[in-house]
Amino acid sequence: GPALLFVKTSQGKEEGRRFYACSACRDRKDCNFFQWEDEKVSETRLAAREEYNRSHQPSFTHRQNVDRYKNFVLLPSSKRRFCQECQQLLLPAEWEKHSDHQFLCDITTAQLKSPSQLLYPLENKKTNAQYLFADRSCQFLLNLLTDLGFRRVLSVGTPRLHEMIQSKASQEEQFGVRSLLLDIDFRYSQFYTEDEFCHYNMFNHHFFGGETACETCRKFLCEENGEGVIMVTDPPFGGLVEALASSFKKLMAMWSETEKGGHDNKEMPMFWIFPYFFESRILDFFPSFSMMDYQVDYDNHALYKHGKTGRRQSPVRIFTNLTPSMIVLPEEEGYRFCTVCQRYVSSGNQHCEICNSCTSKDGRRWKHCVLCKKCVKPSWFHCNNCNCCTLQKHSCEKTDVGCFVCGKAGHKRSACPSLSRA
């Protein structure tokens, strides 16, 4: 899809040179697209790009994949094969072409309903970072959504939640929740129809299926005059918050375009699942959001696991624009309700009388620093040279160089006024 516009800055210079690069791949090895904003591109180079794009298209369209799936489920289990190298469901006529590949045989209906367990997770941190919810977190989210009365879930980059909803809906007639999956992983088109899955890039709000797919999403959001829908998103943690926020606001705008004059400036309900240390960045773009203490964990990530202690606990949290008191966290896992903060907090998150808030972000009990006038991590100590709390083993040497962009002291690059103007 469309590239994003970045700026390359030099130390001490206010003006940087702007360039276009891939929105999804941050490693030039995965996508070598690069173009200066003021660069004139020759016809030959444009033609080469078009040819490169054509050669990297999927083998089948979404419609073809849906038709193939219909034929695949009619086969007896002995003839159902899945190529692990091509990550593709195989019809008997295609076996010969994949004869030297590794493949799984006797694919069951249960496996077809759980494609996230059949497909290899794409774990390149700089491109896909496809970490999948553990059953504990997935079940908690689904129970929470149903308890809150939501009937439709826009699952943006959350394939495991989507398939759990799909599976439950097919098994229980009275289960009234539906899901639409938006994901950049086109492999899911083999298992879901155009009404269940849209090939989507959350970094540039691009629907690969064009206006038809965009309209599918719009209709899903605007059913029942927009009532009963929530967006749940789990982006790659290395992604630019600015780009993600821009796309999410566009999805919210789709929802607010419903009939009867919109929703009186209300925001579409949303769960943004992201590490707690991005809190300030998320609140910059969504001031109405607050962070919940619930630790989200993943099946295929060594560090983001529930039940560990101290710094080994999962740092992933739920950011939401719903009223915090509505988000009931499981007491059997140690969460409790703080009557002052009017929200559920983790057992180690003790209420600070001075801050008048439950201040811990990482699950450990934080301590109040009178000099800093705030609570800090238990491993931090106040340094009189730095005039702030920091790790005990740190360097007090202060550099004379200030902001990387303009060279002035008093602020960091991310808060540089020059960068904001650009």
Side-chain angles (χ1 to χ4, degrees), residues 159-174:
R160 189 152 282 180
L161 178 64
H162 173 74
E163 70 186 36
M164 187 176 275
I165 293 171
Q166 295 283 98
S167 178
K168 206 169 174 68
S170 66
Q171 292 168 15
E172 301 175 22
E173 216 172 287
Q174 70 276 18

Side-chain angles (χ1 to χ4, degrees), residues 240-264:
L240 283 171
V241 174
E242 294 91 329
L244 292 167
S246 174
S247 294
F248 298 159
K249 285 182 177 181
K250 286 171 183 173
L251 288 170
M252 285 178 158
M254 273 190 189
W255 172 80
S256 64
E257 290 166 5
T258 50
E259 297 172 8
K260 299 180 183 176
H263 293 270
D264 301 322

